[in-house]
Amino acid sequence: MSFIKEIARRRTFGIISHPDAGKTTLTEKLLLFGGAIQEAGAVKSNKIKKGATSDFMEIERQRGISVATSVLAFEYNGIKINILDTPGHKDFAEDTFRTLTAVDSVIVVIDVAKGVEEQTEKLVEVCRMRNIPMIVFINKLDREGKDAFDLLDEIEQKLGLTITPLSFPIGMGYDFKGIYNIWERNINLFSGDSRKNIEETIKISDLGSSELNKLVGDKASETLREELELVHGVYPDFDKDEYLHGKLQPVFFGSALNNFGVRELLDCFVEIAPKPRPKQSEERLVKADEKDFTGFVFKIHANMDPNHRDRLAFVKIVSGQFKRNTPYLHVRHGKKLKFSSPNAFFAEKKEIVDVSYPGDIVGLHDTGNFKIGDTLTEGETINYKGIPNFSPEHFRYINNADPLKSKQLFKGIDQLMDEGVAQLFTLELNGRKVIGTVGALQYEVIQYRLEHEYGAKCTYENLNVHKACWVETQDERSEEYQEFLRVKQRYLAKDKQGQLVFLADSAFSLQMTQQKYPKIKFHFTSEFD
Ligand code: G4P
């Protein structure tokens, strides 16, 4: 197959949701359609169960699962689909943000009873800022839930989306009869009292026909007609171009657990979802069909086998073909590297591959060369943008608890930070090291991994920091900036890239500092224009 055809048949996306909305269940059903797995229950959820915070075996088990489910690839009707896993647990939100730099589109899963939840809001905001095309799937329709129109309003208001339903439920809760598919103009009816199975899919080209009344009864068909008229009047018509530019989000209703509406979602997805999109580097926009290979690291995973120190770096291929045993330029190091056993991912297994194409993810064995955000090319010096660090939520001093193992401790901290487990700040005043994380759980993960993988011991000490702010000035020699450096020295630190960071101890002190030094800019992420 030609290079261009290979690109055109790839769809790389992520499923995002608040925990428990049904992301794992939906992923599993999609894999079943692709024939990638044979039975339900094969995809393990990688969510950290509540109360598991001190159970290290649980954390290790989860890490194992999260390698297995990092990329789930399968074929459907000649289309190669790559699903990138995004952890739902909020302590790992930064992992999810980074994964979103590697997807070409997303599916947002919402629980019909719970509506828009906190984690969904945050993740959708990131996608909206990047104009990532999104499809919304409202799940658990077999249960009593919110009124469809109320829920659609909530989605528009809380998520700031412009939506258009492409399917619509017939009845609700106890009276739930099935789903009318606006996209395909047919009906899925659900059978029996349990409404557990799809009875049949019936083509309805004319909504006014009496056939509809025969199928779902007079009352339900009247209501459906009214509701669809309202849908037609209130929501814009679906426009693929608008969807592809992140300006319009189609909505599907269904029940992942019972496989209602999942095939319809998948069929529409393969038809409308974008093929590998161009990506902006600091130097230029790179298109997927360019001849030369380029790609970037969006995730690093330490190997689970303690006898092997190597790690797996996940590279998204942006352009060209990635070939095994070919030297590629590691732009940050300015040196060429060859990879003899790049892994490709298929459902739940990985295999060595000779060639991969734009949209694909390859897993490269790494002994410490890579960090998140690194770019690989055939020789051109370009740096992919878009993996900034966000201000952590928690901050603690890290202390060495075993003076004989300080080398191991520093190596361990260094490598764990490159993996993106947390962020390291070094105080300007005294060189003390501070670890910043999104969730408290990471401190336990770090302590455990330092001990088991590097033989080092650490303790933590609380530090009162409200936000880390990356500092920007136009003139380093100005009086204002020099005074800021002097007065705030106690609160200044360098991040791992050597950028200056102001660790504000409260919202109030941040506000006062901003007022006092109006020419200095304080950013909550490490990248700014
Ligand atoms: P997540 O990955 O988004 O966190 O959610 P997951 O798929 O694990 O689903 C969370 C719970 O919701 C699971 O139940 C799952 O069975 C249930 N669920 C998913 N889709 C549907 C649906 O369409 N209808 C109904 N009624 N339930 C659904 P659980 O009891 O937490 O787990 P399990 O013991 O069933 O695995």
Side-chain angles (χ1 to χ4, degrees):
M1 198 180 293
S2 76
F3 174 53
I4 298 297
K5 278 195 183 145
E6 286 288 1
I7 298 174
R9 73 184 199 96
R10 274 165 170 76
R11 304 283 181 274
T12 302
F13 76 106
I15 303 180
I16 56 176
S17 70
H18 192 85
D20 273 347
K23 180 168 74 73
T24 311
T25 314
L26 178 64
T27 306
E28 183 172 281
K29 292 295 163 4
L30 295 175
L31 290 174
L32 280 167
F33 277 113
I37 52 169
Q38 307 312 323
E39 56 186 289
V43 178
K44 303 283 181 296
S45 164
N46 74 352
K47 60 188 164 183
I48 312 264
K49 298 267 185 231
K50 284 192 199 78
T53 39
S54 5
D55 184 346
F56 298 114
M57 287 319 289
E58 179 68 8
I59 292 172
E60 284 300 278
R61 194 183 65 80
Q62 301 287 1
R63 288 183 56 225
I65 292 169
S66 81
V67 164
T69 59
S70 285
V71 186
L72 296 159
F74 66 96
E75 300 250 345
Y76 180 74
N77 289 347
I79 301 288
K80 164 109 190 272
I81 297 176
N82 297 312
I83 306 181
L84 306 195
D85 188 45
T86 55
H89 194 288
K90 72 172 174 27
D91 285 10
F92 293 92
E94 215 166 332
D95 261 10
T96 300
F97 292 146
R98 284 190 291 255
T99 300
L100 291 177
T101 63
V103 302
D104 295 305
S105 70
V106 301
I107 292 179
V108 184
V109 182
I110 290 173
D111 182 323
V112 69
K114 294 193 181 139
V116 174
E117 295 173 89
E118 185 196 340
Q119 214 41 27
T120 324
E121 273 185 70
K122 286 197 188 143
L123 296 170
V124 166
E125 194 186 332
V126 173
C127 297
R128 223 185 39 211
M129 273 161 26
R130 291 163 188 248
N131 295 323
I132 298 176
M134 287 181 254
I135 298 179
V136 178
F137 182 72
I138 298 177
N139 191 28
K140 307 197 186 180
L141 262 273
D142 56 314
R143 286 205 185 149
E144 243 5 278
K146 298 190 180 186
D147 169 75
F149 286 107
D150 288 349
L151 195 51
L152 294 172
D153 276 355
E154 187 179 328
I155 292 172
E156 284 197 315
Q157 275 157 26
K158 284 201 182 161
L159 299 179
L161 302 179
T162 306
I163 53 177
T164 181
L166 287 187
S167 76
F168 209 81
I170 308 171
M172 262 285 163
Y174 184 75
D175 287 329
F176 181 52
K177 296 200 163 47
I179 289 171
Y180 179 74
N181 190 319
I182 300 171
W183 175 251
E184 290 178 4
R185 290 175 161 266
N186 59 30
I187 280 184
N188 278 337
L189 289 181
F190 308 112
S191 67
D193 286 339
S194 69
R195 297 187 293 270
K196 280 247 178 283
N197 302 303
I198 297 177
E199 200 162 66
E200 47 194 329
T201 302
I202 305 148
K203 194 98 197 145
I204 301 272
S205 352
D206 177 13
L207 269 175
S209 84
S210 59
E211 203 190 341
L212 185 65
N213 297 51
K214 272 191 235 140
L215 287 170
V216 298
D218 290 337
K219 194 160 165 272
S221 45
E222 242 355 274
T223 312
L224 177 67
R225 285 185 191 109
E226 280 167 25
E227 287 179 334
L228 288 175
E229 207 166 299
L230 198 56
V231 166
H232 198 65
V234 172
Y235 297 100
D237 284 345
F238 176 71
D239 180 309
K240 188 171 163 185
D241 222 43
E242 299 242 298
Y243 155 72
L244 289 176
H245 286 92
K247 304 279 178 249
L248 180 68
Q249 289 77 26
V251 178
F252 282 88
F253 289 83
S255 163
L257 187 65
N258 301 306
N259 223 342
F260 299 164
V262 178
R263 187 194 55 75
E264 290 70 17
L265 172 74
L266 181 59
D267 282 343
C268 177
F269 172 83
V270 294
E271 204 175 319
I272 67 171
K275 55 186 196 224
R277 302 204 300 168
K279 189 161 176 77
Q280 188 68 46
S281 70
E282 274 169 26
E283 294 74 13
R284 65 185 187 85
L285 187 74
V286 181
K287 297 209 183 99
D289 59 6
E290 291 183 20
K291 189 172 84 2
D292 289 345
F293 158 73
T294 64
F296 67 97
V297 177
F298 67 95
K299 176 180 179 126
I300 292 180
H301 217 294
N303 205 303
M304 298 306 294
D305 181 352
N307 298 322
H308 293 92
R309 224 353 137 55
D310 69 344
R311 310 183 292 175
L312 206 56
F314 291 79
V315 174
K316 160 92 186 274
I317 297 168
V318 178
S319 66
Q321 299 177 34
F322 179 94
K323 292 184 182 147
R324 193 176 156 195
N325 278 326
T326 307
Y328 291 121
L329 178 68
H330 183 307
V331 175
R332 184 171 54 90
H333 284 334
K335 67 176 182 193
K336 293 229 168 173
L337 298 173
K338 258 203 273 196
F339 303 93
S340 58
S341 51
N343 283 295
F345 302 86
F346 303 97
E348 293 188 285
K349 52 182 196 302
K350 49 187 175 56
E351 280 172 11
I352 292 176
V353 278
D354 291 323
V355 187
S356 305
Y357 297 91
D360 285 341
I361 310 299
V362 285
L364 304 179
H365 289 283
D366 170 42
T367 46
N369 281 314
F370 286 121
K371 66 181 193 187
I372 287 176
D374 277 344
T375 305
L376 280 177
T377 70
E378 265 185 62
E380 188 180 354
T381 303
I382 55 169
N383 292 281
Y384 279 113
K385 285 170 71 155
I387 314 192
N389 285 318
F390 294 84
S391 173
E393 302 286 327
H394 303 263
F395 296 83
R396 290 185 195 169
Y397 286 118
I398 183 164
N399 300 321
N400 186 3
D402 181 351
L404 295 176
K405 296 283 172 59
S406 63
K407 221 174 113 194
Q408 285 86 337
L409 181 79
F410 289 123
K411 182 168 183 201
I413 294 178
D414 198 48
Q415 295 207 343
L416 292 181
M417 299 305 127
D418 281 355
E419 263 181 50
V421 176
Q423 292 178 56
L424 181 72
F425 301 97
T426 309
L427 290 188
E428 290 279 88
L429 189 66
N430 51 19
R432 284 192 78 179
K433 302 213 176 301
V434 173
I435 303 265
T437 66
V438 177
L441 189 54
Q442 267 99 336
Y443 289 105
E444 301 187 42
V445 174
I446 293 169
Q447 201 168 35
Y448 179 84
R449 289 189 56 192
L450 283 173
E451 190 167 342
H452 288 80
E453 292 170 33
Y454 299 91
K457 286 202 169 76
C458 73
T459 56
Y460 298 113
E461 225 176 289
N462 275 335
L463 176 66
N464 179 29
V465 176
H466 162 65
K467 279 267 187 277
C469 312
W470 280 265
V471 178
E472 185 190 9
T473 177
Q474 296 303 329
D475 182 3
E476 290 202 351
R477 282 180 305 183
S478 70
E479 238 170 70
E480 179 180 310
Y481 190 63
Q482 290 302 324
E483 184 193 310
F484 165 73
L485 293 183
R486 215 172 35 247
V487 174
K488 296 292 175 191
Q489 194 188 20
R490 225 152 64 77
Y491 302 97
L492 295 179
K494 290 267 168 69
D495 72 2
K496 207 157 170 279
Q497 282 69 43
Q499 274 182 273
L500 190 69
V501 177
F502 173 55
L503 302 175
D505 57 2
S506 68
F508 178 69
S509 86
L510 174 60
Q511 203 189 349
M512 294 306 287
T513 310
Q514 281 168 323
Q515 277 171 11
K516 193 157 175 223
Y517 305 105
K519 292 213 180 98
I520 301 174
K521 287 202 181 123
F522 298 91
H523 302 276
F524 292 143
T525 66
S526 65
E527 268 181 23
F528 35 86
D529 294 322

